[in-house]
């Protein structure tokens, strides 16, 4: 499905980003993998290469404009073009608003929301020129419903959803689509760190009665990135076992 296409994925060293990279590679995409340090990407890159794909790894902090611009330039030079951009890198720094520091607010907004803006802005020029492209942003159901203790994260992901719809409106005349996936509780390092009682409380709220796997998110990203969704833009697909309906 993605033969001859290049997909750039941020935060691809592990978790959901790694699953997205491997799903797109399995479907034929060449990969530009980004994370804070390129050597963390070895595992993802190795597995994708076994699938016969071309893979390049880039060290980049998604919240730094100059580094993002340089990375996108390098990817365009290495691969000739970017067909799919997946803005996946994200962090949490949880705490009740009363105790949330300005630094923790800024850190989460800078990576989750500003990083999505910076990569989109840098990659959209090429996509507009080629009159084709698909941008998929990884939001969260917390951006739809809020969550006590996650004001910074909820605001960042709500912002990603509003940003997604705006990008879709600005770029649709050039056949560039932009959609978001809103995962629920997915088993990764990010959620492993939550206390057992919080995990059990979450489980009781999931109609499909299981936590999601990174591959559940990757399947929806592949749909939004590819031809099967060619008439879909500005949408948010919750991938949460029915937690939000
Ligand atoms: P993860 O396991 O923590 O992986 C995130 C990856 O992004 C890590 O490799 C991380 O590197 C990297 N990253 C962090 N900050 C970065 C930066 N400034 N620049 C470049 N890369 C950076 O997280 P995940 O659970 O797979 O989450 C992936 C995305 O899904 C995030 O946007 C998250 O908000 C979203 N999401 C996750 C869940 C869930 O239940 N897991 C639910 C809803 C939404 P480090 O090793 O330095 O951290």
């Amino acid at each position: 499905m993605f033969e001859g296409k290049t997909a750039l994925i941020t935060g691809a060293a592990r978790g959901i980003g790694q699953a997205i990279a491997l799903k797109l590679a399995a479907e034929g995409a060449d990969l530009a993998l980004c994370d804070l340090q390129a050597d963390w990407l070895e595992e993802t890159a190795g597995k994708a290469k076994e699938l016969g794909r071309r893979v390049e790894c880039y060290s980049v902090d998604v919240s730094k404009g100059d580094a993002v611009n340089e990375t996108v330039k390098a990817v365009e030079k290495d691969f000739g073009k970017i067909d799919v951009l997946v803005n996946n890198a994200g962090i949490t720094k949880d705490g009740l608003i009363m105790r949330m520091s300005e630094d923790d607010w800024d850190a989460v907004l800078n990576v989750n929301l500003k990083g999505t803006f910076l990569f989109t802005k840098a990659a959209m020029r090429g996509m507009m020129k080629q009159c084709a492209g698909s941008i998929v942003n990884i939001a969260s159901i917390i951006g739809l419903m809020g969550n006590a203790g996650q004001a910074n994260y909820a605001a960042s992901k709500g912002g990603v959803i509003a940003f997604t719809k705006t990008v879709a409106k600005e770029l649709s005349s050039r056949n560039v689509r932009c959609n978001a996936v809103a995962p629920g509780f997915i088993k990764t390092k990010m959620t492993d760190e939550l206390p057992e009682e919080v995990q059990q409380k979450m489980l009781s709220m999931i109609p499909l009665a299981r936590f999601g796997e990174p591959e559940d998110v990757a399947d929806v990203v592949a749909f939004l990135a590819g031809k099967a969704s060619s008439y879909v833009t500005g949408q948010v697909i919750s991938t949460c076992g029915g937690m939000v309906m």
Side-chain angles (χ1 to χ4, degrees):
M1 188 159 102
F2 293 100
E3 275 83 9
K5 308 273 186 209
T6 304
L8 188 164
I9 300 123
T10 67
R14 55 182 162 86
I16 292 171
Q18 182 179 68
I20 293 167
L22 296 180
K23 172 73 180 171
L24 297 181
E27 297 202 0
D30 292 326
L31 301 179
L33 302 177
C34 299
D35 212 294
L36 280 168
Q37 289 186 32
D39 54 344
W40 298 346
L41 290 158
E42 268 167 26
E43 186 183 296
T44 312
K47 289 182 178 170
K49 282 178 188 164
E50 278 169 23
L51 295 165
R53 304 279 84 86
R54 179 176 173 198
V55 184
E56 301 292 342
C57 300
Y58 305 85
S59 300
V60 57
D61 180 339
V62 300
S63 66
K64 303 278 186 281
D66 289 347
V68 170
N69 291 338
E70 275 170 32
T71 301
V72 167
K73 258 190 218 151
V75 174
E76 288 174 337
K77 186 163 170 272
D78 292 344
F79 290 89
K81 63 188 168 73
I82 298 167
D83 302 287
V84 173
L85 167 66
V86 183
N87 285 307
N88 165 77
I91 60 169
T92 52
K93 286 191 185 289
D94 297 349
L96 294 172
I97 298 166
M98 286 258 281
R99 289 194 284 268
M100 185 173 288
S101 69
E102 194 176 334
D103 283 351
D104 284 353
W105 174 271
D106 286 346
V108 171
L109 270 288
N110 282 341
V111 175
N112 299 5
L113 182 56
K114 187 179 165 195
T116 299
F117 156 70
L118 290 172
F119 256 101
T120 301
K121 186 175 178 202
M124 66 193 257
R125 194 181 295 271
M127 289 181 170
M128 287 168 81
K129 262 194 206 151
Q130 70 207 23
C131 279
S134 181
I135 300 167
V136 183
N137 296 326
I138 308 303
S140 166
I141 55 165
I142 303 306
L144 294 167
M145 59 189 232
N147 195 24
Q150 289 198 302
N152 48 3
Y153 187 74
S156 73
K157 295 299 189 178
V160 165
I161 289 169
F163 180 70
T164 298
K165 295 178 183 185
T166 303
V167 174
K169 286 186 178 178
E170 289 192 12
L171 302 191
S172 54
S173 64
R174 297 293 187 102
N175 193 36
V176 177
R177 301 182 297 109
C178 185
N179 292 287
V181 179
F185 191 108
I186 310 297
K187 280 196 268 177
T188 67
K189 184 164 173 272
M190 191 179 264
T191 43
D192 280 352
E193 284 161 6
L194 293 171
E196 181 61 25
E197 66 271 20
V198 176
Q199 297 200 21
Q200 287 313 313
K201 195 176 155 213
M202 289 282 179
L203 187 56
S204 70
M205 291 159 63
I206 303 173
L208 284 179
R210 68 170 176 90
F211 295 136
E213 300 291 338
E215 290 72 20
D216 292 318
V217 179
D219 286 344
V220 179
V221 171
F223 164 69
L224 290 173
K227 253 169 88 176
S229 63
S230 57
Y231 201 51
V232 179
T233 196
Q235 304 304 307
V236 183
I237 301 187
S238 293
T239 306
C240 60
M243 238 176 129
V244 171
M245 294 190 190

